Amino acid sequence: MSHALIDVHSADDSAVRLDALAALSQRLLDRCRAAGATQAEVSCSEDAGLSVNVRMGEVETVESTRDRGIGVTVYFGKRKGTASTADLREDSLAATVDQACAIARFTEDDEASGLADADLMARPGPDGRFDEYDAWHPWALEADAAVDLALACEAAGRDADPRIANSDGASVSTSKGLSVYANSHGFVGAERGSHHSIGCALIAGEGEHMQREGWYSVALAQSDLDTPASIGRRAAERTLARLDPRPLATGSYPVLFQAEVARSLIGHLLGAVSGGALYRRASFLLDSVGTQLFPDWFRIFERPFLSRGFQSSAYDAEGVATRESPLIDDGVLQRYVLGSYSARKLGLQSTGNAGGVHNLEIPANAGGLQDLLRGMDRGLLVTGLMGQGVNAVTGDYSRGASGFWVEGGEIRHAVDGITIAGNLKQMFASIEAVGSDIDPRSHVRTGSILLGRMTVAGGD
């Protein structure tokens, strides 16, 4: 194999280059076996990208990146060692294997260590490859063209209203990469993926009354991105809407999390049902499988095989086959989120989630945002969250927030500098509606989420 860095800017021969990475992985596995390892795994990745940032009509940064990484993990019985390199020279690869083996020989036995079980490995299709789920859409974007897109995005926002006197800038980025994971069970998985984004952040108002807000679009295919002008105008609308915030009386109110912040609630659930938190007993949802946590209509499904899904894959980070399955069904927690190590620590089996979940969908039981506002009638619409005030052990929740006060089902004025508080168990149980206004910019696909009541400290 050539020692040259794989040029992922060229889409035409990416399949050939994935085969080369797979061959390199096999050579490294052979080295590990020859060194006496009882099990081994290898990860190889190569990525390329372009990112530009502009501000106030001027170029701030243009960055072109090309990275690679090779990770080797060996097991001597229940002892584990890991080493990595970015150097493809033979002596460097040999030294990486030797270093991983040396580390393993000096570590303590860990009964939970080792590859995932062989019978859980994913199986490729008849052609020997795994489905990519339409994730490979390289964008042949040159730096000059990227700068023009970013400038157009920012200009559309700045020109939208004279009250927008400043900007935090606009950005355009594109990246693509190749990755291979192989292990001594005989598993070899190869994937290609691309990722593109355009974003803009603006500042409106003057002095102590300035407000900052923005908007962005992300997609695996450039054709799925919003236009730069529409992103800039949306950023302007959101920024202007935040002007002249008024105080809010402290009290207990219904709270509607807009879609882009509603997924943070699902993120807190995932953290609490993930293996690492569970076996360390650092979760407020210990021993909760089979327990009703949400209303009986609430569901969360894992969908690993979505076309152009942000986290679609036939296998997880250990080669375990992914599968469509419910996480929450009829409001009841169906399972935890486990890789092989955490599963063994808990006396369970991997759920195919080493490395995280693969696309979550939360079905709606209500209409769009306007329908939810009318249904709430009076309360707080949260559009931004600040701080990390969540206790993973107790579930206590307290975060800074910004958004809008709603009366008679309509937005009346902006609110800022407030705190919302509760307990996640109670918050999950008090969900009254999930909207159909799904934010497509994440692998957690949810609409806005309405909670019956939370404590709101308004700074009055």
Side-chain angles (χ1 to χ4, degrees), residues 261-317:
V261 293
R263 61 176 174 257
S264 69
L265 297 176
I266 308 304
H268 295 313
L269 169 70
L270 292 176
V273 300
S274 293
L278 293 166
Y279 76 74
R280 294 184 180 93
R281 305 195 66 79
S283 167
F284 67 97
L285 292 180
L286 293 173
D287 305 317
S288 291
V289 168
T291 300
Q292 181 148 3
L293 302 176
F294 295 85
D296 57 13
W297 53 266
F298 189 90
R299 291 173 173 81
I300 302 178
F301 294 101
E302 186 170 16
R303 305 289 197 201
F305 314 129
L306 292 178
S307 179
R308 298 195 187 182
F310 285 106
Q311 295 292 339
S312 294
S313 181
Y315 56 90
D316 72 358

Short mmCIF file of all heavy atoms in Angstrom, two decimals, residues 261-317:
data_model
loop_
_atom_site.label_atom_id
_atom_site.label_comp_id
_atom_site.label_asym_id
_atom_site.label_seq_id
_atom_site.Cartn_x
_atom_site.Cartn_y
_atom_site.Cartn_z
N VAL A 261 -34.20 23.01 20.94
CA VAL A 261 -33.73 22.81 22.32
C VAL A 261 -34.43 21.63 22.97
O VAL A 261 -33.95 21.09 23.97
CB VAL A 261 -33.92 24.08 23.18
CG1 VAL A 261 -33.01 25.19 22.71
CG2 VAL A 261 -35.36 24.55 23.20
N ALA A 262 -35.55 21.18 22.40
CA ALA A 262 -36.27 20.03 22.97
C ALA A 262 -35.42 18.78 22.94
O ALA A 262 -35.53 17.92 23.84
CB ALA A 262 -37.58 19.81 22.20
N ARG A 263 -34.55 18.66 21.92
CA ARG A 263 -33.74 17.44 21.86
C ARG A 263 -32.76 17.33 23.01
O ARG A 263 -32.25 16.23 23.29
CB ARG A 263 -33.03 17.34 20.52
CG ARG A 263 -32.07 18.45 20.17
CD ARG A 263 -31.37 18.13 18.85
NE ARG A 263 -30.54 19.23 18.40
CZ ARG A 263 -30.88 20.07 17.43
NH1 ARG A 263 -32.04 19.93 16.82
NH2 ARG A 263 -30.06 21.04 17.06
N SER A 264 -32.49 18.45 23.71
CA SER A 264 -31.62 18.35 24.89
C SER A 264 -32.26 17.50 25.98
O SER A 264 -31.57 16.83 26.75
CB SER A 264 -31.28 19.74 25.42
OG SER A 264 -32.42 20.37 25.99
N LEU A 265 -33.60 17.51 26.06
CA LEU A 265 -34.29 16.67 27.04
C LEU A 265 -34.05 15.20 26.74
O LEU A 265 -33.84 14.38 27.65
CB LEU A 265 -35.79 16.96 27.03
CG LEU A 265 -36.21 18.38 27.44
CD1 LEU A 265 -37.72 18.54 27.27
CD2 LEU A 265 -35.80 18.67 28.88
N ILE A 266 -34.08 14.85 25.44
CA ILE A 266 -33.80 13.48 25.06
C ILE A 266 -32.35 13.14 25.34
O ILE A 266 -32.01 12.02 25.74
CB ILE A 266 -34.13 13.27 23.57
CG1 ILE A 266 -35.54 13.77 23.25
CG2 ILE A 266 -33.97 11.81 23.19
CD1 ILE A 266 -36.63 13.14 24.07
N GLY A 267 -31.46 14.12 25.18
CA GLY A 267 -30.06 13.91 25.50
C GLY A 267 -29.84 13.57 26.96
O GLY A 267 -29.01 12.72 27.30
N HIS A 268 -30.60 14.22 27.86
CA HIS A 268 -30.48 13.90 29.28
C HIS A 268 -30.98 12.48 29.57
O HIS A 268 -30.41 11.77 30.41
CB HIS A 268 -31.27 14.91 30.11
CG HIS A 268 -30.74 16.31 30.03
ND1 HIS A 268 -29.40 16.60 30.15
CD2 HIS A 268 -31.37 17.50 29.83
CE1 HIS A 268 -29.22 17.91 30.03
NE2 HIS A 268 -30.40 18.47 29.83
N LEU A 269 -32.02 12.06 28.87
CA LEU A 269 -32.49 10.68 29.01
C LEU A 269 -31.41 9.71 28.56
O LEU A 269 -31.10 8.74 29.26
CB LEU A 269 -33.76 10.47 28.18
CG LEU A 269 -34.21 9.02 28.02
CD1 LEU A 269 -34.74 8.48 29.35
CD2 LEU A 269 -35.25 8.87 26.92
N LEU A 270 -30.79 9.98 27.40
CA LEU A 270 -29.76 9.08 26.89
C LEU A 270 -28.59 8.98 27.85
O LEU A 270 -28.05 7.89 28.08
CB LEU A 270 -29.27 9.58 25.53
CG LEU A 270 -30.26 9.49 24.37
CD1 LEU A 270 -29.66 10.12 23.12
CD2 LEU A 270 -30.64 8.05 24.10
N GLY A 271 -28.19 10.10 28.43
CA GLY A 271 -27.10 10.05 29.40
C GLY A 271 -27.42 9.18 30.58
O GLY A 271 -26.55 8.48 31.11
N ALA A 272 -28.67 9.20 31.01
CA ALA A 272 -29.07 8.45 32.20
C ALA A 272 -29.25 6.96 31.94
O ALA A 272 -29.15 6.17 32.87
CB ALA A 272 -30.37 9.04 32.76
N VAL A 273 -29.52 6.57 30.68
CA VAL A 273 -29.73 5.14 30.38
C VAL A 273 -28.54 4.55 29.64
O VAL A 273 -28.62 3.42 29.15
CB VAL A 273 -31.03 4.92 29.58
CG1 VAL A 273 -32.23 5.42 30.38
CG2 VAL A 273 -30.97 5.57 28.21
N SER A 274 -27.43 5.28 29.55
CA SER A 274 -26.23 4.77 28.90
C SER A 274 -25.39 3.96 29.88
O SER A 274 -25.36 4.26 31.09
CB SER A 274 -25.41 5.91 28.32
OG SER A 274 -26.11 6.53 27.25
N GLY A 275 -24.71 2.96 29.33
CA GLY A 275 -24.03 1.99 30.17
C GLY A 275 -23.03 2.56 31.14
O GLY A 275 -22.96 2.15 32.30
N GLY A 276 -22.21 3.53 30.71
CA GLY A 276 -21.19 4.08 31.58
C GLY A 276 -21.76 4.68 32.84
O GLY A 276 -21.23 4.46 33.95
N ALA A 277 -22.84 5.44 32.73
CA ALA A 277 -23.46 6.03 33.91
C ALA A 277 -24.09 4.96 34.79
O ALA A 277 -24.07 5.06 36.03
CB ALA A 277 -24.53 7.05 33.49
N LEU A 278 -24.63 3.92 34.18
CA LEU A 278 -25.33 2.88 34.94
C LEU A 278 -24.37 2.02 35.75
O LEU A 278 -24.59 1.79 36.94
CB LEU A 278 -26.16 2.02 33.99
CG LEU A 278 -27.33 2.74 33.32
CD1 LEU A 278 -27.86 1.92 32.16
CD2 LEU A 278 -28.44 3.02 34.33
N TYR A 279 -23.28 1.54 35.12
CA TYR A 279 -22.42 0.65 35.90
C TYR A 279 -21.61 1.42 36.94
O TYR A 279 -21.16 0.84 37.94
CB TYR A 279 -21.55 -0.23 35.01
CG TYR A 279 -20.35 0.39 34.36
CD1 TYR A 279 -19.20 0.70 35.09
CD2 TYR A 279 -20.32 0.61 32.97
CE1 TYR A 279 -18.08 1.24 34.49
CE2 TYR A 279 -19.20 1.15 32.37
CZ TYR A 279 -18.09 1.46 33.11
OH TYR A 279 -16.98 2.00 32.51
N ARG A 280 -21.47 2.73 36.74
CA ARG A 280 -20.85 3.55 37.79
C ARG A 280 -21.86 4.00 38.83
O ARG A 280 -21.49 4.67 39.79
CB ARG A 280 -20.19 4.78 37.15
CG ARG A 280 -19.02 4.47 36.23
CD ARG A 280 -18.38 5.74 35.71
NE ARG A 280 -17.26 5.46 34.82
CZ ARG A 280 -17.32 5.36 33.51
NH1 ARG A 280 -18.50 5.55 32.90
NH2 ARG A 280 -16.26 5.10 32.79
N ARG A 281 -23.10 3.65 38.62
CA ARG A 281 -24.21 4.01 39.52
C ARG A 281 -24.28 5.54 39.67
O ARG A 281 -24.46 6.07 40.76
CB ARG A 281 -24.11 3.31 40.87
CG ARG A 281 -24.02 1.80 40.74
CD ARG A 281 -24.29 1.07 42.03
NE ARG A 281 -25.67 1.25 42.49
CZ ARG A 281 -26.72 0.58 41.99
NH1 ARG A 281 -26.57 -0.29 41.03
NH2 ARG A 281 -27.93 0.79 42.47
N ALA A 282 -24.13 6.23 38.54
CA ALA A 282 -24.17 7.68 38.52
C ALA A 282 -25.34 8.16 37.67
O ALA A 282 -25.21 9.08 36.87
CB ALA A 282 -22.86 8.24 37.97
N SER A 283 -26.48 7.51 37.81
CA SER A 283 -27.66 7.83 37.01
C SER A 283 -28.90 7.83 37.89
O SER A 283 -29.05 6.98 38.78
CB SER A 283 -27.84 6.81 35.88
OG SER A 283 -29.11 6.93 35.29
N PHE A 284 -29.82 8.76 37.59
CA PHE A 284 -31.09 8.79 38.31
C PHE A 284 -32.08 7.76 37.76
O PHE A 284 -33.20 7.64 38.26
CB PHE A 284 -31.71 10.20 38.25
CG PHE A 284 -32.15 10.64 36.89
CD1 PHE A 284 -33.48 10.51 36.50
CD2 PHE A 284 -31.26 11.20 36.00
CE1 PHE A 284 -33.89 10.92 35.24
CE2 PHE A 284 -31.66 11.63 34.75
CZ PHE A 284 -32.98 11.48 34.36
N LEU A 285 -31.66 7.00 36.75
CA LEU A 285 -32.54 5.98 36.17
C LEU A 285 -31.97 4.57 36.34
O LEU A 285 -32.17 3.69 35.49
CB LEU A 285 -32.79 6.28 34.69
CG LEU A 285 -33.63 7.53 34.41
CD1 LEU A 285 -33.82 7.73 32.92
CD2 LEU A 285 -34.99 7.44 35.11
N LEU A 286 -31.28 4.32 37.45
CA LEU A 286 -30.82 2.96 37.76
C LEU A 286 -32.03 2.02 37.89
O LEU A 286 -33.07 2.39 38.43
CB LEU A 286 -30.04 2.95 39.07
CG LEU A 286 -28.70 3.71 39.09
CD1 LEU A 286 -28.14 3.74 40.51
CD2 LEU A 286 -27.71 3.07 38.13
N ASP A 287 -31.86 0.79 37.36
CA ASP A 287 -32.89 -0.25 37.50
C ASP A 287 -34.25 0.23 37.01
O ASP A 287 -35.28 -0.04 37.63
CB ASP A 287 -33.00 -0.70 38.96
CG ASP A 287 -31.67 -1.17 39.53
OD1 ASP A 287 -30.96 -1.89 38.81
OD2 ASP A 287 -31.33 -0.78 40.66
N SER A 288 -34.26 0.93 35.87
CA SER A 288 -35.51 1.52 35.39
C SER A 288 -36.10 0.82 34.17
O SER A 288 -37.17 1.24 33.70
CB SER A 288 -35.29 3.00 35.05
OG SER A 288 -35.07 3.75 36.22
N VAL A 289 -35.44 -0.20 33.62
CA VAL A 289 -36.04 -0.91 32.49
C VAL A 289 -37.38 -1.51 32.93
O VAL A 289 -37.49 -2.13 33.98
CB VAL A 289 -35.10 -2.01 31.95
CG1 VAL A 289 -35.84 -2.92 30.98
CG2 VAL A 289 -33.90 -1.39 31.26
N GLY A 290 -38.41 -1.30 32.11
CA GLY A 290 -39.75 -1.76 32.46
C GLY A 290 -40.55 -0.76 33.26
O GLY A 290 -41.72 -1.02 33.58
N THR A 291 -39.93 0.38 33.57
CA THR A 291 -40.60 1.41 34.37
C THR A 291 -41.22 2.46 33.44
O THR A 291 -40.63 2.86 32.44
CB THR A 291 -39.59 2.11 35.30
OG1 THR A 291 -39.02 1.14 36.17
CG2 THR A 291 -40.28 3.19 36.14
N GLN A 292 -42.42 2.92 33.79
CA GLN A 292 -43.05 3.98 33.01
C GLN A 292 -42.45 5.32 33.42
O GLN A 292 -42.60 5.77 34.55
CB GLN A 292 -44.57 4.00 33.20
CG GLN A 292 -45.23 5.09 32.38
CD GLN A 292 -46.63 4.72 31.92
OE1 GLN A 292 -47.14 3.67 32.25
NE2 GLN A 292 -47.25 5.60 31.14
N LEU A 293 -41.78 5.96 32.46
CA LEU A 293 -41.13 7.24 32.71
C LEU A 293 -41.88 8.39 32.05
O LEU A 293 -41.76 9.53 32.49
CB LEU A 293 -39.70 7.22 32.17
CG LEU A 293 -38.76 6.15 32.72
CD1 LEU A 293 -37.42 6.23 32.01
CD2 LEU A 293 -38.58 6.31 34.22
N PHE A 294 -42.62 8.10 30.99
CA PHE A 294 -43.31 9.11 30.19
C PHE A 294 -44.80 8.78 30.12
O PHE A 294 -45.22 7.68 30.50
CB PHE A 294 -42.72 9.14 28.77
CG PHE A 294 -41.28 9.57 28.69
CD1 PHE A 294 -40.25 8.65 28.89
CD2 PHE A 294 -40.95 10.89 28.41
CE1 PHE A 294 -38.92 9.04 28.81
CE2 PHE A 294 -39.62 11.29 28.34
CZ PHE A 294 -38.61 10.37 28.54
N PRO A 295 -45.63 9.70 29.61
CA PRO A 295 -47.04 9.39 29.39
C PRO A 295 -47.19 8.18 28.47
O PRO A 295 -46.30 7.87 27.67
CB PRO A 295 -47.58 10.66 28.73
CG PRO A 295 -46.65 11.74 29.17
CD PRO A 295 -45.30 11.11 29.27
N ASP A 296 -48.33 7.49 28.54
CA ASP A 296 -48.46 6.21 27.84
C ASP A 296 -48.51 6.34 26.32
O ASP A 296 -48.43 5.35 25.61
CB ASP A 296 -49.67 5.43 28.36
CG ASP A 296 -50.97 6.20 28.24
OD1 ASP A 296 -51.00 7.24 27.55
OD2 ASP A 296 -51.98 5.76 28.84
N TRP A 297 -48.62 7.56 25.80
CA TRP A 297 -48.62 7.75 24.34
C TRP A 297 -47.21 8.05 23.79
O TRP A 297 -47.00 8.08 22.58
CB TRP A 297 -49.53 8.91 23.93
CG TRP A 297 -49.23 10.19 24.68
CD1 TRP A 297 -49.84 10.63 25.82
CD2 TRP A 297 -48.22 11.17 24.36
NE1 TRP A 297 -49.28 11.82 26.24
CE2 TRP A 297 -48.30 12.18 25.36
CE3 TRP A 297 -47.31 11.31 23.34
CZ2 TRP A 297 -47.46 13.29 25.35
CZ3 TRP A 297 -46.47 12.41 23.33
CH2 TRP A 297 -46.56 13.39 24.34
N PHE A 298 -46.25 8.25 24.68
CA PHE A 298 -44.92 8.73 24.28
C PHE A 298 -44.04 7.58 23.83
O PHE A 298 -43.97 6.53 24.49
CB PHE A 298 -44.27 9.45 25.47
CG PHE A 298 -43.01 10.18 25.13
CD1 PHE A 298 -43.04 11.51 24.73
CD2 PHE A 298 -41.77 9.54 25.20
CE1 PHE A 298 -41.88 12.20 24.43
CE2 PHE A 298 -40.61 10.22 24.90
CZ PHE A 298 -40.66 11.55 24.50
N ARG A 299 -43.33 7.78 22.70
CA ARG A 299 -42.46 6.75 22.16
C ARG A 299 -41.16 7.36 21.62
O ARG A 299 -41.16 8.48 21.13
CB ARG A 299 -43.17 5.98 21.04
CG ARG A 299 -44.32 5.12 21.52
CD ARG A 299 -45.11 4.52 20.36
NE ARG A 299 -46.10 3.58 20.84
CZ ARG A 299 -47.30 3.91 21.32
NH1 ARG A 299 -47.64 5.19 21.38
NH2 ARG A 299 -48.13 2.99 21.74
N ILE A 300 -40.10 6.57 21.71
CA ILE A 300 -38.82 6.90 21.06
C ILE A 300 -38.33 5.65 20.36
O ILE A 300 -38.20 4.59 20.98
CB ILE A 300 -37.75 7.37 22.07
CG1 ILE A 300 -38.23 8.60 22.85
CG2 ILE A 300 -36.45 7.67 21.35
CD1 ILE A 300 -37.23 9.08 23.90
N PHE A 301 -38.06 5.76 19.06
CA PHE A 301 -37.57 4.63 18.29
C PHE A 301 -36.17 4.92 17.75
O PHE A 301 -35.88 6.03 17.32
CB PHE A 301 -38.50 4.35 17.09
CG PHE A 301 -39.88 3.90 17.49
CD1 PHE A 301 -40.94 4.78 17.48
CD2 PHE A 301 -40.11 2.58 17.87
CE1 PHE A 301 -42.21 4.37 17.84
CE2 PHE A 301 -41.38 2.15 18.24
CZ PHE A 301 -42.43 3.05 18.22
N GLU A 302 -35.32 3.90 17.79
CA GLU A 302 -34.01 4.01 17.17
C GLU A 302 -34.11 3.50 15.73
O GLU A 302 -34.59 2.39 15.48
CB GLU A 302 -32.96 3.21 17.94
CG GLU A 302 -31.55 3.43 17.40
CD GLU A 302 -30.47 2.85 18.29
OE1 GLU A 302 -30.79 2.04 19.17
OE2 GLU A 302 -29.30 3.23 18.09
N ARG A 303 -33.64 4.33 14.77
CA ARG A 303 -33.76 4.01 13.35
C ARG A 303 -32.37 4.07 12.70
O ARG A 303 -31.99 5.06 12.09
CB ARG A 303 -34.68 5.02 12.66
CG ARG A 303 -36.06 5.16 13.26
CD ARG A 303 -36.91 3.95 12.98
NE ARG A 303 -38.34 4.22 13.19
CZ ARG A 303 -39.24 3.29 13.42
NH1 ARG A 303 -38.87 2.02 13.46
NH2 ARG A 303 -40.51 3.60 13.60
N PRO A 304 -31.60 2.99 12.75
CA PRO A 304 -30.23 3.04 12.24
C PRO A 304 -30.11 3.06 10.72
O PRO A 304 -29.03 3.32 10.20
CB PRO A 304 -29.60 1.76 12.79
CG PRO A 304 -30.55 1.24 13.81
CD PRO A 304 -31.89 1.72 13.41
N PHE A 305 -31.21 2.78 10.01
CA PHE A 305 -31.10 2.56 8.57
C PHE A 305 -31.79 3.65 7.74
O PHE A 305 -32.14 3.44 6.59
CB PHE A 305 -31.71 1.19 8.22
CG PHE A 305 -31.27 0.08 9.14
CD1 PHE A 305 -32.19 -0.75 9.73
CD2 PHE A 305 -29.92 -0.10 9.43
CE1 PHE A 305 -31.78 -1.77 10.60
CE2 PHE A 305 -29.50 -1.11 10.28
CZ PHE A 305 -30.43 -1.95 10.87
N LEU A 306 -31.93 4.84 8.30
CA LEU A 306 -32.56 5.94 7.58
C LEU A 306 -31.65 6.43 6.46
O LEU A 306 -30.46 6.67 6.67
CB LEU A 306 -32.85 7.11 8.52
CG LEU A 306 -33.91 6.91 9.60
CD1 LEU A 306 -34.01 8.18 10.45
CD2 LEU A 306 -35.27 6.61 8.97
N SER A 307 -32.22 6.63 5.28
CA SER A 307 -31.47 7.23 4.19
C SER A 307 -31.09 8.67 4.56
O SER A 307 -31.94 9.44 5.00
CB SER A 307 -32.31 7.22 2.92
OG SER A 307 -31.62 7.82 1.84
N ARG A 308 -29.81 9.00 4.43
CA ARG A 308 -29.25 10.31 4.78
C ARG A 308 -29.45 10.65 6.26
O ARG A 308 -29.48 11.82 6.63
CB ARG A 308 -29.82 11.41 3.89
CG ARG A 308 -29.48 11.23 2.41
CD ARG A 308 -29.72 12.49 1.60
NE ARG A 308 -29.53 12.20 0.17
CZ ARG A 308 -29.63 13.09 -0.80
NH1 ARG A 308 -29.92 14.36 -0.51
NH2 ARG A 308 -29.45 12.75 -2.05
N GLY A 309 -29.58 9.65 7.10
CA GLY A 309 -29.62 9.90 8.53
C GLY A 309 -28.24 10.27 9.04
O GLY A 309 -27.22 9.73 8.57
N PHE A 310 -28.18 11.18 10.00
CA PHE A 310 -26.89 11.65 10.49
C PHE A 310 -26.08 10.55 11.18
O PHE A 310 -24.85 10.63 11.24
CB PHE A 310 -27.08 12.83 11.45
CG PHE A 310 -27.43 14.12 10.75
CD1 PHE A 310 -28.71 14.62 10.80
CD2 PHE A 310 -26.47 14.82 10.04
CE1 PHE A 310 -29.04 15.80 10.16
CE2 PHE A 310 -26.79 16.00 9.38
CZ PHE A 310 -28.08 16.49 9.44
N GLN A 311 -26.76 9.56 11.74
CA GLN A 311 -26.04 8.48 12.43
C GLN A 311 -26.50 7.11 11.93
O GLN A 311 -26.61 6.17 12.70
CB GLN A 311 -26.27 8.58 13.96
CG GLN A 311 -25.69 9.81 14.60
CD GLN A 311 -24.19 9.82 14.58
OE1 GLN A 311 -23.56 8.78 14.45
NE2 GLN A 311 -23.58 10.99 14.70
N SER A 312 -26.77 7.01 10.65
CA SER A 312 -27.17 5.72 10.08
C SER A 312 -25.95 4.82 9.90
O SER A 312 -24.90 5.26 9.44
CB SER A 312 -27.86 5.92 8.72
OG SER A 312 -29.09 6.59 8.88
N SER A 313 -26.10 3.56 10.28
CA SER A 313 -25.01 2.60 10.11
C SER A 313 -25.54 1.20 10.36
O SER A 313 -26.44 1.00 11.18
CB SER A 313 -23.86 2.88 11.08
OG SER A 313 -22.80 1.95 10.90
N ALA A 314 -24.96 0.24 9.66
CA ALA A 314 -25.34 -1.16 9.86
C ALA A 314 -24.65 -1.78 11.06
O ALA A 314 -25.02 -2.88 11.49
CB ALA A 314 -25.00 -1.97 8.60
N TYR A 315 -23.66 -1.08 11.60
CA TYR A 315 -22.91 -1.63 12.75
C TYR A 315 -22.46 -0.49 13.65
O TYR A 315 -22.36 0.65 13.23
CB TYR A 315 -21.71 -2.46 12.29
CG TYR A 315 -20.76 -1.73 11.38
CD1 TYR A 315 -19.69 -1.01 11.88
CD2 TYR A 315 -20.92 -1.77 9.99
CE1 TYR A 315 -18.81 -0.33 11.05
CE2 TYR A 315 -20.04 -1.11 9.15
CZ TYR A 315 -18.99 -0.39 9.68
OH TYR A 315 -18.12 0.28 8.85
N ASP A 316 -22.18 -0.85 14.91
CA ASP A 316 -21.73 0.17 15.86
C ASP A 316 -20.20 0.21 15.88
O ASP A 316 -19.53 -0.38 15.02
CB ASP A 316 -22.33 -0.06 17.25
CG ASP A 316 -21.73 -1.26 17.97
OD1 ASP A 316 -20.86 -1.98 17.41
OD2 ASP A 316 -22.13 -1.49 19.13
N ALA A 317 -19.63 0.92 16.84
CA ALA A 317 -18.18 1.13 16.88
C ALA A 317 -17.40 -0.13 17.20
O ALA A 317 -16.16 -0.14 17.11
CB ALA A 317 -17.84 2.20 17.92
#
